[in-house]
Amino acid sequence: QVQLVESGGGLVQAGGSLRLSCAASGTILSINAMGWYRQAPGKQRELVAAITSGGSTDYADSVKGRFTISRANAKNTVYLQMNSLKPEDTAVYYCAADFRGLRVGVPPLWWGQGTQVTVSS
C-alpha cells in the first residue's frame, strides 16, 4: 500500500505562482511514476503532469510552458511548480502514483486527498 500527502495549495492572483508537493510512503520503496491530476467544477479529472523515476516528463497541452514537474532524487517526492497561473487553473489538484506508469485514460493505483488551488482575476 502507498499513501500520498499533498501540500502547497492556496489562493493566488492571476499571473502568480505556487508550488505543490507530494510525498509518497508505504510498502513500495520505488514507484515508477508519479504525477498530478486536477478536477475543476464541471470538468472531468485530467492528467496535468507526470514524471517517471528516470526523469521523463509529460504535460497536458494547457499547462505546457507554465508548469514544471520534478522529483526528488533520494525519495518518492514530487513537485509541481506552477507559474503564470490563470483563473482556469482553479481546481482541486491530486497527487497520483502507479508502479505501472501514468497514462491518459488509465486511473492510477494510488491517489492523494487533493489540495485546492484557486486563482483569482
Side-chain angles (χ1 to χ4, degrees):
Q1 59 182 5
V2 172
Q3 293 80 43
L4 305 174
V5 180
E6 303 109 327
S7 63
L11 174 65
V12 65
Q13 290 187 327
S17 299
L18 285 173
R19 190 173 82 152
L20 306 182
S21 299
C22 175
S25 62
T27 58
I28 299 177
L29 300 180
S30 181
I31 300 174
N32 181 259
M34 297 181 67
W36 295 92
Y37 289 72
R38 69 183 181 186
Q39 188 163 26
K43 297 183 178 180
Q44 294 183 319
R45 189 172 298 186
E46 63 173 340
L47 179 62
V48 176
I51 188 167
T52 69
S53 59
S56 298
T57 59
D58 286 293
Y59 298 93
D61 289 340
S62 60
V63 306
K64 286 181 179 177
R66 300 189 297 119
F67 291 9
T68 303
I69 189 170
S70 61
R71 192 168 184 173
N73 292 330
K75 54 187 176 181
N76 290 319
T77 302
V78 67
Y79 306 95
L80 185 67
Q81 179 67 46
M82 305 184 293
N83 298 326
S84 301
L85 283 163
K86 305 174 181 179
E88 47 264 48
D89 294 318
T90 295
V92 177
Y93 285 71
Y94 297 90
C95 183
D98 197 321
F99 66 84
R100 306 169 298 178
L102 298 178
R103 300 287 187 273
V104 174
V106 181
L109 293 175
W110 302 290
W111 296 95
Q113 291 297 116
T115 185
Q116 177 70 47
V117 172
T118 302
V119 184
S120 62
S121 300

